[in-house]
Amino acid sequence: MSKPSLAPFIRARPWLRRWIQPLADWYGNAQGHRQIGLLSDDLIPEESDTVKRALTRLPPKEAYDRVFRLRRAFQVYFDFALVLEEQQEEWTKPEQDLPYLTLLIEDIERENKERDELDAMVPTKKKG
């Protein structure tokens, strides 16, 4: 799940952020998930054990909201109807599209890495 990112580099340079931000907003809107009310973390596949464990750690309200957004998106898809321009209040706004699952996934990956390191330790006897 972890991947290299330029985000810290861009955030550290305000001039670069001002230049990149409009492009990032355009790209986020062009993906289309916001027009049907989804957040970007709703698009993370649930196939790995890490993501499954992160989903169980979500607060109940957050888990309910995720299921509601996914069901609404499926309904829109099966009805072949996009949420029309007149219904823009149902679109997810960029400031609402905050990561909620990615943080839990990163925590679980750190825990797994720490567990693997501890499992790989070899105890040695102290000489003395």
Side-chain angles (χ1 to χ4, degrees):
M1 182 66 201
S2 296
K3 52 197 168 283
S5 174
L6 291 175
F9 178 80
I10 293 171
R11 281 191 210 114
R13 290 154 182 81
W15 63 270
L16 185 57
R17 185 175 185 172
R18 282 192 303 272
W19 185 75
I20 295 285
Q21 192 63 46
L23 183 63
D25 291 339
W26 171 83
Y27 181 73
N29 288 329
Q31 288 178 332
H33 66 276
R34 291 181 181 160
Q35 282 80 2
I36 55 176
L38 291 175
L39 301 177
S40 55
D41 277 0
D42 293 335
L43 304 176
I44 297 175
E46 300 176 16
E47 296 164 352
S48 74
D49 291 334
T50 305
V51 176
K52 288 178 187 176
R53 192 176 314 152
L55 288 172
T56 61
R57 292 186 184 183
L58 281 176
K61 171 127 176 55
E62 196 87 33
Y64 176 81
D65 290 345
R66 174 185 167 85
V67 170
F68 176 79
R69 286 189 303 268
L70 290 171
R71 286 184 179 177
R72 182 177 57 186
F74 282 124
Q75 187 65 37
V76 166
Y77 177 76
F78 288 131
D79 288 344
F80 297 107
L82 290 176
V83 180
L84 302 175
E85 297 287 333
E86 297 85 34
Q87 299 173 336
Q88 282 191 358
E89 66 273 358
E90 293 185 26
W91 288 18
T92 303
K93 294 167 186 53
E95 57 272 5
Q96 294 172 327
D97 195 2
L98 301 172
Y100 66 94
L101 190 60
T102 306
L103 304 173
L104 291 172
I105 292 172
E106 290 170 355
D107 286 345
I108 292 170
E109 287 177 343
R110 273 194 298 275
E111 290 171 8
N112 288 341
K113 181 180 177 187
E114 183 179 355
R115 185 178 298 115
D116 291 342
E117 288 173 356
L118 288 172
D119 287 345
M121 289 179 70
V122 178
T124 58
K125 287 188 175 181
K126 233 182 188 180
K127 292 182 181 179

